[in-house]
Every structure is written in structure tokens, then in C-alpha cells.
Amino acid sequence: MNTHRKLIRRTALVAATGVSALVLAACGGNGGDRHDMGSMESTTAAPTTSAPAPTGQMMIKHHEGAIEMAEKEKAEGEYGPARESADEVIKAQTSEIEQMNKMLGKS
């Protein structure tokens, strides 16, 4: 039974690590190689000063979700590197939210 419990814990650890890696890759937690929301503008379209409200609001919710996951990882996570990267995720996602709010005229 003890071997079975170890296997379950290892599987959960691998899954949590994978989720953390996906969040970091998708949401810019990679230090200097962070995604820039400004790069989302089309080079062929006329420049705009604001994002469409529904899209902007969805993106803000997306980034807020990443912050919630990172905060949960910091509070409950058992894998050190994932817990340590949570601060980077929070910082990057907060910056993205601020930028989206500016684009929506909510600064």
C-alpha cells in the first residue's frame, strides 16, 4: 500500500510541475522572454489605442486566473521550483493586467 501511495504522490507532483510549466510558457513567466501584449496588434491594421472591451476583459480574467493559480502554488505547493516561480508569474501577470487596463482606458 505504501508503494501505491508513493506512486500517487509522484504522479501528482509531475502533473503539478507540468501545469506550472504550461502556465509559465503560455503566460510569460520566462523572465526576460516575457510576452508583450503590445505585440498582439496587427501590423496591417490601423493602430488603435484600445483593445475591444470583450476581448480585453477576457484577457484580464485569463491573467487573473494565472495569478490565482500562482498564489495557490505558493500557499500549498510542495515542489520548490514551482513555488519559487510563482512570484515571477504573479509579477508578470500583474503587469499584463495593468497593460490591458491601459488599453481599455481604465488606468
Side-chain angles (χ1 to χ4, degrees), residues 2-105:
N2 195 18
T3 303
H4 183 64
R5 187 174 282 175
K6 285 182 182 179
L7 180 60
I8 291 172
R9 285 185 180 184
R10 285 183 184 164
T11 302
L13 177 62
V14 169
T17 302
V19 169
S20 296
L22 287 173
V23 168
L24 289 173
C27 296
N30 191 9
D33 193 24
R34 190 173 73 77
H35 179 71
D36 178 12
M37 293 303 294
S39 69
M40 293 180 72
E41 292 181 25
S42 170
T43 56
T44 58
T48 60
T49 57
S50 65
T55 302
Q57 291 302 322
M58 287 188 306
M59 289 303 297
I60 289 170
K61 290 289 184 193
H62 164 77
H63 294 302
E64 288 172 342
I67 290 171
E68 289 175 23
M69 287 187 285
E71 288 173 343
K72 184 171 181 152
E73 181 64 33
K74 281 179 61 173
E76 301 173 13
E78 295 181 13
Y79 183 61
R83 287 182 58 208
E84 291 169 9
S85 69
D87 284 326
E88 294 175 30
V89 171
I90 292 168
K91 181 179 176 183
Q93 298 307 299
T94 300
S95 174
E96 299 287 347
I97 291 169
E98 289 171 1
Q99 190 168 1
M100 286 303 300
N101 279 326
K102 284 180 187 175
M103 292 172 74
L104 292 168

